[in-house]
Amino acid sequence: MYSNDPVARALTLRTLGAIATIISERKNAHHSIRNSLDSRDAVEVEAAIFAAKRFAAVSKTFAINICDKVADMIGGLATPVEMKLKLIPVFQHMHQDSETAVRVWEMCRKMLVLYPAQNFVLLILHTQTKLSAASHIGISQQIDLLLQYLSEDPRSLVKLLCLQDLNSLAKTGPHLWSENQIGALTQLCIHTSDEAQQVASLRVLTALVKSLALEKFASGSDSPLTQLCLFCSTAFYSNNFYIATQAIELATAVVISSELTSELAETAETLCCAVETIIISMTSGKHQNDSLLKKLLKSVVVLSRTHCGMGRALAESLVKSIATSDPAAVVLLCEALAAVGGYSSAVLSGMLPSIVALLRAAAVEERAKRSQLVIMLATLVLQACRSGLPADALSALESATDSVNCWDGFRIARQAARFGHHSIASKLFDNLTSNIASEHLFFWLTALKEFTHAEANLACHDARQQRLMRIRQAVVSYRKGLSSLKAASTPSFPLQFQTDFAQLRVESLQAHVQLAQAGNSLRTCPPPAIAMTLGDQLQRSGRVGNLLHDSMRTFQGLSNRYKRLYQSCFDADPVTLSVVQTLQWACHLMAQKVEAVLVSCTADRARVPDIAAKTMASSSDVSKLPLEVKALQSVLVEISTGTAIATGGICFEHIQMLTEASQKLLLVPMSFPRFFFQTLQSTTIKLAITPQPKNSIDRAAIWVQSDAHLALKVEGVIQHGSHPGLFRSIHSVYLVVTSSLVKPDPVRGDTKQPSSSANDLTQTVQPHKDYFSIQLLLSFLSPGLHQVSIETFVVDGNGEKWETGPQVTLMVKSFMDHPQQQSQRASGLQYQPGRSNAFP
C-alpha cells in the first residue's frame, strides 16, 4: 500500500477485498481503503470501492466509519458520474447496525430527489431494497416508496424494477405488508395496460398469496381477493401466454390456500377449463414454450394433490393431449402425470386402457426421445396398478421392455421395485444379469434380483404354515442378495445405505418369524390347575411370555436402528426418508402391540388402553402421502386403531391379534426407495487433524505429558456433488470429541492414580465457503495409552442433526516421568507443555 505505483496499490486493495472475511477488523486495512478513495487515479479508486463493498458487508465498524465518506463523495461535484454510480451499491451492505441502516436509507431517499436520472433512480431504489431486506428495517416504508414510483413515474424500466423489488420484499417480509399496500398493488395490476408490468405484478401477488400475507387479503365483495379472482378469470384466456400462465399460478395458489367458497369454487372450475385449453394450445407446436409449459404443469400437479376431483379431470386432459402433442412436449406431459400418480394411483387407474394403448404405440415408434417416453409411460402403468397388473397391461409392459436397451430396461425395473411390482422387477433384473460385462454390476443386479424375488414371495396370500415357509424363503433370498451386495461394493461406491436397508429388512422378517413361533408356543402353556399355583400371571402363561418379551425387544431394537438409518440419510430425497420412517413406525407399533399383551398380564392395568395409538398421531392424513408409503401407512393406522387389549392372561385372542397385525404388515408390498438406486445429492466431509503421530515401528501415538494439555486442531472441508443443497443444506457442523483410557501404564507406588482422565467435548461451528476449523485443549491425567475419537454431525437449516460422519480416531500416549520422556523422544511425537502447539 505504500508503493508509488497506483496499479500496485489497486491490486493490493482488490486482494484485501477478496480476503475481507478473514481480516474484517484490521484497522490498517480500513485506513488504506479510506485513503485510496481520495486518490486521483481512477483504477485505484475503483479498487478501493470494490474493497469498501467487501469490508462493509462483514465489518460493522468499517460500515459506520465509511458511511459519511461515501455520502460526501456521491454528493461532491468533483466525483465523476461513473464513480457515483459505483459508490451507491456500497450502501446496501451497511445493515449490521440498525441506526446506520436507517441513516443510509434516509440518505438514499434524499438522493432520489437530487438525482432524478433513470440510471440513478434504478440503482438507488434497488440499493434501498437490498438494505431493507437485509436489515429487516423500514420494509414497509420501502414498499410505500416503490408503490409511489410505480404509480407516479412514467418510465417503464423504473416500473419494472419497482415490481422486481416488490417481489423480493414479498418473499423476504410478507408479514409486513399492509392491506392498503396489497390493495394498491392489486389495482395497479388490474388497470395497467403494459403486459410486462402485468406479468411482474402477478408474480408479486402470487408470492404474497403463497405466504402469510394471504390473511391480509380481506374477504368481501370488494376485497382484493375477490377482485383478483375476477381478474384471473379473464386473464386465463389472454393472448399473451405469460399473463395466462402467471394468472393460473396465482389462481392455483388462492384455491389451494383458502377454503372453497362459492366464489372460489367458480374460479376453480374456470381454472380447470383454462388449464386444459392452454395445455392444448401450448402442446400443439405453434406456441410451444417449455418454461411456461413446465410452470403450467406444476400448477396442475399442485391442484391434483390438493383436490382429487380436479386431479382426475386434469389428468384426463393430459392423457388426451399426449396423443396429439408435439414430441418435445410429450415427455413433459408424462412427467406431470407421473408426479400426479406419485401421490394417488386412483387418478390414473381410470385411464389405464388409454395409457396402455399409448405404451404399445410408443414401443413400436421410431422418433427422438422414444426411450424416455416408453419409460415414463411404463411408470404410469406401474403407478396405476398398485394392486396388480392386468394381462393386457403386463403384455404391453413386457413388449415395451423388449424394445429398449439394457439401461432403459434397468430404469423400468427400478420403477417396478419402487412401486411394489417385485415379480416384474425380479424378471427384468434376471434378464439384465446376462448382458453385463462388469463384475461389480453383475453382483449389483444379482442382489437386486434376490431382493425383489424375496419380496415377490411375501406377496402371496397363503395359509399360515405356507406363509411362514415363504417368509423363511424370503430370508434366504435376502441373505444371498446381501452376499452379492457386499461383492458389488467398491471403495468409491460402498453401498452403505443399500446394505443397511436390506439388513434391517431381513432382520424385520426374522422378527416376524420369531413372533409367530412365540405364538405357537402358547400351546405348551401349563394346564390351568398347575398354572394357578404360580405366583406371577406372566409365569402362568408359560414359555410364551418370555418369547413375547424377546420379540418385543427385537422389534424395539429394529425401530431404534431404523431411526439411526434415518439420521444417516442426509442426502436422501424426502420420499426415501418417509419410507424409512414408516418402516421404523411399523417396528415400533409391533413392539407396542406385544408390550400391550404383556402388560395385560401384570397388575399395571392402566397402561393397557391405547398404547399404540400415539404412534400414528403425526400421519393421520394418509391421502397426502407419497404412493410408496401410502399403503403401509394405511395398514399402520388400521392396526393402531384396532380393538382394545383384553386383560387377564395371554390367550389365543391375543396371539390372533398379533398374528393378524404381522400378516397385514407383511402383505403390503415394500417399496425400495429412490435413494436405494439413485443419489441426487452428495455431501461428504473430509477432516484434517493436527497434530498427527509420526510413523514408528512399534507404535503410532502422540506423546504428551500428563500435566500438560494437547492442543487439537480439527479442520474440515465440505464436498458437494452436482446438485448441492437440492434437498437440504448444511447450516452448521457439530463435533464431538471423546477420549478413553485404553491401556493404563503401571502406576508407581508413591503416585496416586487420577480417578478419571476422559475428555468429552462438543462444539458447533458454522462453515464458511465449505470450510470450518476448531481448536480444543485435551487433558490426559492418567498415564497410559488413550484413544481420542472425533465424530462429525451436521445440522440442517431446520435444526435437525444428521449423522453424516466421518469418525476419526487417534492414539495419545500420556506419560509423567522425566526419564521416560527422554527415552521415548526418539520413537514418537512428543508434546511439550511450554510450547504453543503440538507440532514436532
Side-chain angles (χ1 to χ4, degrees):
M1 287 306 300
Y2 300 102
S3 172
N4 292 329
D5 186 3
V7 177
R9 293 196 299 269
L11 291 174
T12 305
L13 288 170
R14 290 191 176 272
T15 304
L16 293 175
I19 60 174
T21 55
I22 304 174
I23 59 170
S24 58
E25 300 300 332
R26 294 287 182 90
K27 301 299 181 182
N28 52 352
H30 297 177
H31 181 70
S32 299
I33 295 171
R34 189 181 183 92
N35 288 341
S36 297
L37 288 174
D38 296 328
S39 175
R40 296 181 180 179
D41 186 81
V43 176
E44 184 178 358
V45 174
E46 290 182 2
I49 294 173
F50 169 79
K53 292 179 183 178
R54 294 299 185 93
F55 274 88
V58 295
S59 175
K60 176 182 176 181
T61 304
F62 180 80
I64 295 174
N65 294 334
I66 206 67
C67 176
D68 294 330
K69 175 66 176 177
V70 174
D72 292 340
M73 291 183 65
I74 295 175
L77 298 176
T79 307
V81 175
E82 294 78 6
M83 289 297 176
K84 292 182 180 181
L85 292 174
K86 293 178 181 179
L87 283 168
I88 291 174
V90 178
F91 285 139
Q92 70 183 16
H93 301 293
M94 298 182 180
H95 50 76
Q96 290 88 356
D97 181 67
S98 59
E99 295 181 359
T100 305
V102 172
R103 189 157 60 94
V104 169
W105 192 88
E106 291 294 338
M107 289 181 184
C108 292
R109 181 69 180 270
K110 296 177 181 178
M111 290 180 191
L112 288 172
V113 180
L114 297 175
Y115 302 97
Q118 178 173 285
N119 51 358
F120 276 94
V121 171
L122 294 175
L123 194 58
I124 294 173
L125 286 176
H126 188 64
T127 300
Q128 284 183 292
T129 302
K130 289 285 188 180
L131 180 63
S132 299
S135 62
H136 295 278
I137 296 174
I139 291 182
S140 182
Q141 290 83 355
Q142 181 65 19
I143 294 172
D144 290 331
L145 180 62
L146 293 173
L147 289 174
Q148 177 185 351
Y149 271 85
L150 185 61
S151 59
E152 297 178 359
D153 200 303
R155 294 169 289 192
S156 59
L157 287 179
V158 174
K159 289 179 179 291
L160 290 175
L161 177 78
C162 292
L163 290 170
Q164 292 176 5
D165 289 346
L166 286 172
N167 190 20
S168 174
L169 294 178
K171 297 176 181 178
T172 304
H175 57 287
L176 298 176
W177 284 66
S178 65
E179 296 182 3
N180 295 331
Q181 293 169 345
I182 293 175
L185 182 60
T186 304
Q187 294 298 323
L188 289 170
C189 175
I190 294 174
H191 296 98
T192 184
S193 59
D194 188 276
E195 293 182 348
Q197 296 176 20
Q198 200 167 61
V199 172
S201 58
L202 285 172
R203 289 199 188 102
V204 181
L205 292 170
T206 303
L208 290 173
V209 169
K210 291 181 179 179
S211 64
L212 299 174
L214 180 62
E215 301 176 356
K216 305 291 181 65
F217 289 82
S219 59
S221 58
D222 295 332
S223 64
L225 188 62
T226 304
Q227 296 177 9
L228 277 179
C229 292
L230 294 175
F231 172 73
C232 289
S233 300
T234 306
F236 290 156
Y237 303 100
S238 173
N239 294 328
N240 190 331
F241 281 128
Y242 289 92
I243 295 178
T245 305
Q246 195 61 49
I248 288 174
E249 185 179 359
L250 174 58
T252 302
V254 172
V255 169
I256 66 174
S257 302
S258 308
E259 297 182 0
L260 280 181
T261 60
S262 58
E263 297 177 354
L264 289 181
E266 183 179 353
T267 304
E269 294 178 1
T270 309
L271 176 62
C272 291
C273 298
V275 168
E276 296 177 9
T277 304
I278 297 177
I279 286 177
I280 294 174
S281 301
M282 283 189 177
T283 55
S284 61
K286 299 178 181 179
H287 307 285
Q288 184 175 345
N289 189 316
D290 288 345
S291 61
L292 291 181
L293 184 59
K294 289 180 181 179
K295 184 181 291 188
L296 185 64
L297 293 176
K298 286 181 181 178
S299 301
V300 171
V301 173
V302 172
L303 281 173
S304 302
R305 292 179 181 178
T306 308
H307 303 285
C308 294
M310 298 182 187
R312 291 188 181 92
L314 293 173
E316 289 179 1
S317 65
L318 291 179
V319 172
K320 294 177 182 178
S321 301
I322 291 177
T324 59
S325 297
D326 187 78
V330 170
V331 176
L332 294 177
L333 295 176
C334 291
E335 289 178 356
L337 277 173
V340 173
Y343 281 80
S344 176
S345 59
V347 174
L348 299 178
S349 59
M351 293 167 287
L352 182 60
S354 302
I355 298 175
V356 171
L358 290 172
L359 179 60
R360 290 184 183 275
V364 297
E365 288 183 0
E366 295 183 0
R367 62 179 183 179
K369 298 184 179 181
R370 184 189 67 86
S371 60
Q372 181 69 17
L373 178 60
V374 170
I375 294 171
M376 296 305 302
L377 291 173
T379 302
L380 294 176
V381 172
L382 295 171
Q383 288 178 339
C385 305
R386 288 286 291 174
S387 58
L389 288 174
D392 57 340
L394 183 59
S395 62
L397 192 62
E398 290 177 351
S399 62
T401 53
D402 294 338
S403 65
V404 295
N405 55 30
C406 294
W407 169 241
D408 294 331
F410 171 79
R411 296 171 68 183
I412 295 176
R414 180 178 66 187
Q415 295 295 80
R418 284 184 59 192
F419 295 111
H421 300 277
H422 298 293
S423 58
I424 300 174
S426 179
K427 294 179 182 178
L428 294 176
F429 287 133
D430 191 15
N431 295 333
L432 290 172
T433 53
S434 59
N435 298 320
I436 295 299
S438 172
E439 182 180 9
H440 295 289
L441 293 180
F442 172 79
F443 285 117
W444 164 244
L445 292 174
T446 303
L448 294 178
K449 180 195 70 175
E450 295 294 341
F451 293 159
T452 52
H453 179 68
E455 293 296 333
N457 283 334
L458 294 175
C460 298
H461 298 262
D462 291 330
R464 184 176 181 182
Q465 295 299 329
Q466 294 289 335
R467 180 171 56 84
L468 289 177
M469 183 183 67
R470 288 187 177 276
I471 295 176
R472 293 190 180 99
Q473 291 176 355
V475 171
V476 173
S477 297
Y478 261 105
R479 291 298 181 189
K480 293 179 181 178
L482 281 171
S483 300
S484 299
L485 195 62
K486 292 178 181 178
S489 61
T490 60
S492 56
F493 296 99
L495 304 177
Q496 187 63 42
F497 172 79
Q498 292 83 350
T499 303
D500 294 342
F501 187 85
Q503 183 68 35
L504 287 174
R505 178 60 175 173
V506 68
E507 292 184 14
S508 300
L509 296 178
Q510 291 175 337
H512 285 280
V513 174
Q514 181 183 358
L515 179 62
Q517 292 174 345
N520 292 335
S521 66
L522 182 63
R523 300 184 178 90
T524 63
C525 291
I530 300 176
M532 292 302 295
T533 61
L534 301 176
D536 191 2
Q537 183 69 30
L538 188 59
Q539 294 180 358
R540 297 176 188 175
S541 301
R543 185 166 173 261
V544 65
N546 296 328
L547 292 178
L548 286 178
H549 191 268
D550 294 340
S551 179
M552 180 196 69
R553 289 190 297 180
T554 301
F555 277 111
Q556 192 59 48
L558 287 172
S559 176
N560 296 333
R561 292 175 61 186
Y562 269 118
K563 184 178 180 180
R564 289 196 294 270
L565 179 63
Y566 179 92
Q567 293 175 346
S568 65
C569 299
F570 176 78
D571 294 323
D573 56 285
V575 177
T576 298
L577 296 180
S578 300
V579 171
V580 176
Q581 192 174 44
T582 306
L583 293 174
Q584 177 205 346
W585 285 342
C587 294
H588 186 58
L589 182 59
M590 288 302 302
Q592 286 187 325
K593 280 289 186 181
V594 178
E595 183 186 6
V597 172
L598 295 175
V599 169
S600 66
C601 301
T602 63
D604 190 6
R605 306 290 176 85
R607 293 177 55 196
V608 176
D610 200 21
I611 289 180
K614 61 183 179 181
T615 304
M616 303 303 299
S618 61
S619 59
S620 58
D621 194 358
V622 181
S623 61
K624 297 182 179 180
L625 295 174
L627 200 61
E628 289 88 339
V629 299
K630 183 175 293 186
L632 185 56
Q633 287 277 20
S634 301
V635 172
L636 293 180
V637 172
E638 180 183 353
I639 295 174
S640 63
T641 56
T643 57
I645 304 297
T647 58
I650 300 178
C651 59
F652 285 100
E653 286 77 8
H654 292 152
I655 301 302
Q656 182 67 21
M657 179 199 66
L658 294 177
T659 303
E660 290 179 356
S662 174
Q663 185 174 2
K664 288 179 181 178
L665 290 176
L666 290 176
L667 287 178
V668 177
M670 194 198 71
S671 297
F672 288 90
R674 184 172 192 169
F675 195 59
F676 195 89
F677 303 98
Q678 188 179 20
T679 303
L680 298 180
Q681 174 182 319
S682 177
T683 307
T684 56
I685 298 177
K686 290 193 175 182
L687 298 181
I689 312 299
T690 306
Q692 284 290 330
K694 288 183 177 180
N695 294 326
S696 60
I697 299 176
D698 55 346
R699 62 179 64 86
I702 302 172
W703 290 76
V704 59
Q705 290 184 357
S706 59
D707 57 347
H709 288 79
L710 174 66
L712 186 70
K713 183 178 182 180
V714 182
E715 298 174 284
V717 176
I718 303 173
Q719 297 178 337
H720 301 282
S722 57
H723 303 284
L726 180 62
F727 302 118
R728 57 197 64 86
S729 57
I730 297 178
H731 177 263
S732 59
V733 179
Y734 182 79
L735 294 171
V736 178
V737 181
T738 58
S739 67
S740 59
L741 183 62
V742 178
K743 183 179 179 181
D745 276 356
V747 183
R748 295 170 53 182
D750 56 346
T751 304
K752 185 177 179 180
Q753 181 78 10
S755 58
S756 175
S757 62
N759 296 278
D760 190 1
L761 305 175
T762 61
Q763 189 165 345
T764 303
V765 58
Q766 290 188 354
H768 176 70
K769 294 189 180 298
D770 295 333
Y771 170 81
F772 62 90
S773 174
I774 64 167
Q775 292 183 347
L776 301 169
L777 288 177
L778 305 180
S779 62
F780 303 93
L781 301 179
S782 299
L785 188 63
H786 298 258
Q787 180 177 352
V788 179
S789 176
I790 304 170
E791 296 182 79
T792 310
F793 305 85
V794 299
V795 181
D796 60 10
N798 297 325
E800 188 172 358
K801 187 166 68 174
W802 302 82
E803 299 178 4
T804 58
Q807 183 175 358
V808 182
T809 59
L810 68 155
M811 308 303 295
V812 176
K813 178 69 175 179
S814 175
F815 63 95
M816 59 185 304
D817 291 335
H818 183 71
Q820 183 182 5
Q821 172 184 355
Q822 297 293 336
S823 62
Q824 298 291 346
R825 272 183 179 175
S827 60
L829 177 64
Q830 184 172 349
Y831 185 82
Q832 297 290 344
R835 296 172 62 179
S836 60
N837 53 42
F839 294 97

